[in-house]
Amino acid sequence: MVNTRKELTSSAGNTRKELTSIANDLKRYIEAERAAGTADILSPARPRAAASDQKKARLLEPVKKEVLSCRRCALYKTKKNYVFSDGDPGAPLVFIGEAPGEDEDIQGVPFVGRAGQLLTKMIEAMGLRRQDVYICNVIKCRPPNNRAPLPGEAAACRDYLLSQIGIISPKVICCLGKHAAEALLGTEVFITKIRGKEFEFNGITLIPTYHPAYLLRNPSAKKEVWQDLKKIIKILSG
Ligand code: URA
């Protein structure tokens, strides 16, 4: 079973090296794709509908307000900040992680720690910017010691996630790791078995891939992650 919430222990220098090496590998894949003439796929043009994007942002406000005073499970007692989302509510692509970690808890923003830096590089390797996608988590409060969310915590938070997805209504959802996939697919999964496969969630294409924290511990998995990201790029540009 893949555990995406293990404490990551390497030093800051090692971290930077690992991130750079993984990001450089992803970039090399991209350059190879460009050389093969698929640059159009790598820069998905996004016809923007500004008015409806603003409407989505407006519709998300009450959901966020509710989250910011949530007491549906005990995690509100130990968290520093609720972590609602980051990015563009009008985005065609939503990344869903597991739960805020320490950095996210301090800043109130998802995916800003080591795994978040790698996620940002993955997004950039796709030819997108972090602000072009929407990023959130299954649960909005940090579990103590970064443990995985308990089923009751994920269940208590599920309505918020479903509201976010329903309002944003993206073309693709990328579930980062087992917990995000389980929250939406409603069944226990082995991420090694389902990653890269296409599922359907409320009419939206759902593609699970490995969590960036897993990728940091297992850099050899970057090939599979890149395959999954390429699949997403293709769907977005289709
Ligand atoms: N891991 C997650 O799953 N989410 C975050 O926001 C940060 C790390």
Side-chain angles (χ1 to χ4, degrees), residues 73 82 89 111 134 138 166-167 183 187 203:
C73 76
Y82 295 97
F111 281 101
Y134 187 87
V138 171
I167 291 167
T187 180

Side-chain angles (χ1 to χ4, degrees), residues 199-221:
F199 297 84
E200 194 246 288
F201 177 78
N202 291 352
I204 301 165
T205 303
L206 184 161
I207 300 189
T209 194
Y210 292 131
H211 193 287
Y214 174 79
L215 201 48
L216 285 173
R217 293 192 303 274
N218 301 277
S220 62

Side-chain angles (χ1 to χ4, degrees), residues 4-5 8 83 96-105 109-116 119 130 135-139 146 149 176-177 179-180 211-213:
T4 61
R5 309 263 323 146
L8 303 165
V83 179
I96 302 176
E98 181 180 318
E102 186 179 15
D103 295 299
E104 293 77 19
D105 187 40
V109 181
F111 281 101
V112 288
R114 284 181 72 213
L119 176 62
R130 185 177 160 111
I135 303 170
C136 62
N137 282 305
V138 171
I139 63 170
N146 290 352
L176 299 167
H179 292 281
H211 193 287

Side-chain angles (χ1 to χ4, degrees), residues 88-102:
D88 180 3
L93 173 59
V94 169
F95 285 97
I96 302 176
E98 181 180 318
E102 186 179 15

